[in-house]
Every structure is written in C-alpha cells, then in structure tokens.
Amino acid sequence: MCHELLAHQDLLTQLDVEIGDGDHGFNISRGAEAVLEALPQWRHLMDGAFLKALGECVLKHIGGASGALYGTLFLTWGKAVNQGKPIDEAFYLGVVSVERRGKSALGDKTMLDVLVPFAAYWHFDTKALGVEALTIVQHLAETHCENTKHLLAKKGRAAYLGERSVGHIDPGACSSMLALKAAMNGMMEMTNLEQSD
Ligand code: ADP
Ligand code: MG
C-alpha cells in the first residue's frame, strides 16, 4: 500500500491542486515513508496492536484533514479488533468513526465515497475476501473513486469551491482507492501462494 501511494504522489498532488491546496500527495507520502520505516518494529504485533501503531504513526506524520481522518480509521479499527470484533466489522466501525470525526457522509465527495461502499461490502455482503470478492472490491473502489468526479463537494477544502468542485476526482477518494487496491492485490498474491502450496 505504501509503495503504491508513493508511486502516485504526483497524481494525488495534482488532484488536490485542482480542488484543494495541493498538499495531499506530500501528506500521504510522508505518512507512507514513516510507516515503511516503522514496519520492521511492528512485525511481532498482533492485528489490533498493529493497527493502533499504524494509526498513531499516521496521525503523527500525515498532516492536514486526511491525517486526522486516516489516523482515526486505523485507531478505531484496531480498538474494535482488540475488543474482539471480527476484522470486517471492526473496519466498518473505523469508517463510521471517520464519518463522525469529519461530520461527513457518503456523497459529500470525500474519501468516504470509497471507504463506505468498501466497508459495507466487506461487512455485510461477503465477510471472507476470497479471490472473487477481491476482484469485485477492486472494481468497486475504482468505480466509486471515479464517480466522485460528478459530485459536488460538501466537506473539506473543496466545499469552498461549490459548483466548481464538480468535474474533478476527490484526492482523498483517490488515495483510499489506491490503498485499497494495493491491499487487495497483496491479499490476492497471498491467496495464490496458499493455493499453490
Ligand atoms: P487538507 O484538506 O487539510 O489539505 P489533505 O489534502 O491531505 O488535507 O486531504 C484532503 C482530503 O481529505 C479530501 O480530498 C477528502 O477526501 C478528505 N476530507 C477532508 N475533509 C473531510 C471530511 N470532513 N470528511 C471526510 N473526508 C474529508
Ligand atoms: Mg490538501
């Protein structure tokens, strides 16, 4: 995920130049670099503690609104895992915490336009992310990211542009899409490896 986000820094910058302040590529890259550096120290951690460490690192290193929101997502996800929730339900709760923190919802032209459909699909429709589900999820993330182009921004800096925000993809929706697609690719590779064992 980190490598994929770093590879698309310029795209994220460009999208934020169009409807924000142009720092999303920089913010996300700083976070991705910090996570890559810290990863070796986290290898022994269980899922919940790993997600908590990830959330703290993201909060510390990603500036702007997206840092606070992605940090909240990982921290809540990790907390729910530690409380014994299944991973898909815990992720869903993480996304709900982003909605609360951002006072935003599906359709506001934010990262939530990618995160909410993904979380709902994972939690309510599939549970187990098998190869078929992974392909669907990748397509879902791409479609919903692309779809933010047609939306009018109601939250974040883009909201100041009103009608002028229409016609541009939301930068946060794009970073969420890239991260989710990379995660799905990683899981597919792991599934293929397990099947070939
Ligand atoms: P900033 O807006 O502070 O410059 P970034 O550029 O890093 O921070 O991130 C911008 C992205 O954060 C937006 O494209 C949007 O997806 C997301 N975002 C901003 N405000 C909100 C909010 N209230 N709720 C959900 N997502 C938001
Ligand atoms: Mg910005």
Side-chain angles (χ1 to χ4, degrees):
M1 281 165 77
C2 290
H3 291 300
E4 190 66 5
L5 290 166
L6 284 168
H8 290 90
Q9 176 173 356
D10 291 348
L11 169 66
L12 297 174
T13 299
Q14 181 52 39
L15 294 175
D16 202 30
V17 162
E18 288 171 22
I19 56 168
D21 57 356
D23 63 354
H24 194 56
F26 176 76
N27 288 341
I28 293 294
S29 295
R30 262 194 57 173
E33 276 162 5
V35 168
L36 284 175
E37 203 183 314
L39 260 183
Q41 303 155 34
W42 297 340
R43 292 214 184 274
H44 63 287
L45 297 178
M46 301 292 286
D47 291 354
F50 170 77
L51 290 166
K52 186 166 170 273
L54 192 55
E56 282 164 0
C57 184
V58 161
L59 268 185
K60 190 166 159 202
H61 294 279
I62 305 189
S66 60
L69 295 167
Y70 281 134
T72 300
L73 171 64
F74 288 121
L75 286 178
T76 311
W77 186 9
K79 195 172 158 197
V81 166
N82 278 337
Q83 288 169 345
K85 303 267 190 227
I87 194 107
D88 54 292
E89 184 182 349
F91 182 81
Y92 188 83
L93 293 172
V95 173
V96 169
S97 74
V98 174
E99 289 181 310
R100 286 213 192 100
R101 180 91 198 254
K103 297 186 177 58
S104 44
L106 186 72
D108 286 349
K109 193 181 180 98
T110 70
M111 56 176 69
L112 287 167
D113 289 309
V114 169
L115 295 176
V116 170
F118 170 80
Y121 177 75
W122 190 12
H123 181 38
F124 296 114
D125 293 345
T126 170
K127 308 270 184 213
L129 291 172
V131 172
E132 197 184 327
L134 292 175
T135 315
I136 292 173
V137 163
Q138 285 197 330
H139 179 69
L140 194 94
E142 266 178 21
T143 310
H144 285 276
C145 173
E146 190 66 30
N147 197 42
T148 61
K149 209 180 217 177
H150 310 296
L151 299 173
L152 184 108
K154 298 203 188 94
K155 286 283 153 36
R157 287 178 202 279
Y160 297 120
L161 296 178
E163 289 287 345
R164 280 187 293 137
S165 67
V166 178
H168 304 272
I169 289 175
D170 176 66
C174 186
S175 55
S176 286
M177 178 274 285
L178 291 169
L180 287 177
K181 272 187 66 181
M184 297 303 112
N185 270 330
M187 285 172 72
M188 274 195 218
E189 276 169 28
M190 275 160 52
T191 312
N192 288 338
L193 280 180
E194 275 165 21
Q195 280 171 354
S196 63
D197 276 348

